[in-house]
Amino acid sequence: MGPVIGMSPDKKAETPGVQELVGSRAATCGMGTLPEAESAASPKATSVDKGLGDDEELTNLNWLHENLLQNFTLGTEAQPSVSPLYDIEGGGAVPASSSSSSCSRAQEKDSLKSKPPYSFSLLIYMAIEQSRNKCLPVKEIYSWILDHFPYFANAPTGWKNSVRHNLSLNKCFRKVERNLGKANGKGSLWCVDPEYRPNLIQALKKQHFPAAHAFCTPPASPPSGSSPPRHLILQDQGCSLKESDIDAATAMMLLNSSPEQHRMQCGKPQQSRVLPQKRSYSHHHHHSSSSSSSSRMPGVQDNPIDLSRPETAVVSNDPKEDHNYSATFQHCASRSSVSRSSVSSLSSVDEAYEYTPQARRAGSEGFHSDEDSDLAEELEQANDRLGDSGYGTQQRAAKGPASKKPRKEVKQEIDEELKEAAGSLLHLAGIRTCLDASRRTAKSKKKKKKEEKECCHFFVRRLC
DNA sequence: TCAGAATTAAACATGG
DNA sequence: CCCATGTTTAATTCTG
């Protein structure tokens, strides 16, 4: 990621109102992260681009915290205005920053300054995936990013251009006409091309995001007391785990990670460069050799992710093949016969939005019916589990409430469990990180050490 | 060092 | 005309 800071500040604001809103929100909730944890992480995390040492690791754990917890609120749509971490830290309603310590203040300050370690593609992906209907208008994507990464609230507005650029250019994202849309505003909806979801998840994982699988659409069967537990596979260890074990397992990953893993989890932000572009936008890409392209994205094949979702495990139509620009472009035509399940992602949406692929891409798109039907069902059920808000209100209103209540309860239970698990995991991770950081930054300033100490003490207290 | 991926900036078109 | 959205190109930066 290039420095956003370098963007010309005199550019006109694209959405003037939002910054204020989010800025103030961020100020009140402090990004909704564990304040003490982040206080250790944040203080010097203002620069992500260069020369980051020990602090950066903490910073990235910071993001890990946020996103882990976000995703552990499985089955609930991200509530932009309410951080998912509220629940964990404050027992439900208390903003994290209400425990006003010097840590939380510093953290709030720095959360606004530190740049997310995720590429725009991943940010967009996360936004879309956490939306109820798995598709969002650009504006909502902006909002999600602003809500979850307040850094952008204060950053120059070129990032929105980048977001749009990514949406247009990245094959992972597909434009969807919304015919009911006038009331919802202009512009199209954007969704994630299921075919490329594995890529995105892989990219997320590569970006110190062990819980990337949580961005996967939940399995077909609705959660119930009798439903079989979801099994997750920790990519680097090949362990198959029940969800209830994930806290311990992921904690193990954090605590016993190899240097490489540790770097992934705590180290310098790395953007995964695995996401396919829709076309070539630079001449030299056209005649670039395919030598390196075939060697990229090792994880997709080497570490198939159990994503509790059929398509995610299917990488046979491997987009990695055309993940480089030239190949991407050339494969477009051949991909016309390739199974396409985008529509399936929208199956539950198409009551609200009619899916009409854009002409530019429609030429190369057919949709796979078999997979679609399965996924449609799956998504329908998944969407049933999701909370309210967003675009699907009408259709839910049409449904009877009778079938909803038990699911809701179950969902709540699961959420509780997951939050708890995530909480303890993060505490462990926080301790680990704090200790590591203290060790490595032995030479660093006393002030910093003090903050780390506070952080560690906090976690130890919490554990006890 | 290099190729490719990602970011950033900018121009332009379109539609509300 | 303004603004949001979407597309495209180009330059730059970063990373494996």
Side-chain angles (χ1 to χ4, degrees):
Chain A
M1 249 192 190
V4 172
I5 307 157
M7 294 164 63
S8 62
D10 52 350
K11 274 189 72 177
K12 66 174 179 180
E14 291 187 12
T15 51
V18 188
Q19 292 196 1
E20 218 177 304
L21 175 75
V22 175
S24 61
R25 187 185 304 156
T28 48
C29 70
M31 271 297 283
T33 32
L34 300 171
E36 287 82 353
E38 244 188 1
S39 72
S42 298
K44 272 138 269 169
T46 56
S47 166
V48 183
D49 296 303
K50 288 177 182 173
L52 290 183
D54 319 330
D55 305 316
E56 183 183 61
E57 299 185 0
L58 297 167
T59 305
N60 285 299
L61 191 70
N62 161 16
W63 298 112
L64 175 69
H65 280 200
E66 292 163 5
N67 290 286
L68 261 179
L69 287 167
Q70 264 172 23
N71 288 286
F72 272 105
T73 60
L74 206 72
T76 52
E77 183 193 5
Q79 300 289 335
S81 55
V82 179
S83 165
L85 292 150
Y86 276 26
D87 291 336
I88 288 172
E89 186 61 19
V94 184
S97 61
S98 68
S99 58
S100 60
S101 64
S102 62
C103 282
S104 67
R105 278 192 298 271
Q107 161 244 323
E108 283 171 15
K109 196 179 167 188
D110 288 313
S111 71
L112 298 178
K113 282 191 284 180
S114 53
K115 194 174 184 182
Y118 304 111
S119 68
F120 281 111
S121 310
L122 293 182
L123 292 177
I124 296 168
Y125 171 64
M126 289 189 274
I128 294 175
E129 280 298 297
Q130 294 205 338
S131 70
R132 178 185 153 72
N133 291 325
K134 299 282 185 282
C135 59
L136 285 177
V138 196
K139 205 169 187 176
E140 295 296 313
I141 295 175
Y142 293 158
S143 301
W144 188 93
I145 293 176
L146 280 169
D147 285 335
H148 294 81
F149 301 93
Y151 161 83
F152 291 106
N154 295 321
T157 54
W159 66 273
K160 289 180 178 174
N161 195 2
S162 297
V163 168
R164 294 196 301 271
H165 169 83
N166 254 274
L167 287 170
S168 285
L169 204 71
N170 204 316
K171 290 175 79 177
C172 303
F173 307 115
R174 310 181 71 77
K175 199 166 71 174
V176 179
E177 285 288 316
R178 50 173 169 185
N179 291 352
L180 298 179
K182 284 199 175 174
N184 289 331
K186 63 177 178 179
S188 309
L189 296 169
W190 293 90
C191 62
V192 175
D193 188 336
E195 187 178 350
Y196 292 93
R197 183 180 274 115
N199 292 36
L200 289 157
I201 292 166
Q202 188 68 30
L204 265 181
K205 286 191 164 196
K206 285 191 168 188
Q207 264 172 278
H208 349 126
F209 199 161
H213 55 261
F215 272 106
C216 251
T217 308
S221 55
S224 69
S226 60
S227 66
R230 286 175 60 202
H231 282 66
L232 308 166
I233 290 185
L234 297 180
Q235 61 164 350
D236 290 322
Q237 303 179 350
C239 306
S240 181
L241 300 166
K242 293 177 187 176
E243 238 174 31
S244 55
D245 294 327
I246 191 168
D247 52 339
T250 317
M252 287 281 285
M253 272 179 63
L254 287 168
L255 292 170
N256 300 322
S257 54
S258 66
E260 168 67 12
Q261 287 169 326
H262 184 264
R263 190 174 54 80
M264 294 263 292
Q265 290 146 6
C266 309
K268 191 176 178 183
Q270 299 171 313
Q271 264 123 45
S272 305
R273 301 171 178 276
V274 294
L275 302 178
Q277 307 297 312
K278 279 163 181 157
R279 65 198 154 271
S280 156
Y281 57 70
S282 182
H283 290 328
H284 74 274
H285 289 131
H286 285 290
H287 44 74
S288 64
S289 80
S290 61
S291 60
S292 61
S293 68
S294 58
S295 64
R296 304 257 167 168
M297 276 215 27
V300 171
Q301 269 181 328
D302 298 342
N303 292 316
I305 310 161
D306 178 4
L307 296 164
S308 309
R309 188 185 169 110
E311 67 198 340
T312 54
V314 176
V315 205
S316 51
N317 291 332
D318 200 351
K320 78 179 170 16
E321 282 181 6
D322 54 6
H323 77 274
N324 73 340
Y325 297 151
S326 53
T328 295
F329 195 59
Q330 288 162 0
H331 279 86
C332 272
S334 63
R335 274 161 42 88
S336 60
S337 59
V338 161
S339 75
R340 207 28 97 104
S341 48
S342 298
V343 126
S344 67
S345 315
L346 302 162
S347 57
S348 59
V349 182
D350 46 21
E351 286 174 78
Y353 301 106
E354 183 179 334
Y355 183 80
T356 37
Q358 295 301 281
R360 182 165 61 82
R361 293 173 214 167
S364 62
E365 259 119 80
F367 295 95
H368 201 268
S369 54
D370 290 346
E371 200 177 24
D372 283 355
S373 56
D374 287 344
L375 291 170
E377 192 181 351
E378 179 181 321
L379 238 130
E380 191 116 32
Q381 290 168 335
N383 275 337
D384 276 351
R385 294 196 301 277
L386 293 173
D388 291 350
S389 87
Y391 300 104
T393 341
Q394 309 128 328
Q395 67 195 63
R396 272 194 313 282
K399 289 184 181 176
S403 63
K404 214 177 169 184
K405 192 187 172 186
R407 286 183 183 180
K408 217 172 180 179
E409 286 173 3
V410 172
K411 188 194 80 182
Q412 257 184 338
E413 278 180 31
I414 292 175
D415 277 355
E416 298 280 331
E417 279 182 31
L418 290 175
K419 284 174 185 173
E420 204 174 320
S424 41
L425 160 64
L426 291 174
H427 293 161
L428 288 169
I431 290 172
R432 157 88 179 203
T433 308
C434 286
L435 292 175
D436 280 355
S438 337
R439 241 179 282 143
R440 273 193 301 270
T441 58
K443 316 174 241 177
S444 66
K445 295 141 198 169
K446 281 182 183 175
K447 184 184 167 187
K448 185 177 157 192
K449 270 194 172 179
K450 193 182 171 187
E451 285 168 349
E452 286 167 355
K453 252 186 185 176
E454 284 174 8
C455 167
C456 292
H457 289 154
F458 167 76
F459 283 120
V460 170
R461 278 201 307 275
R462 303 249 341 179
L463 277 180
C464 301

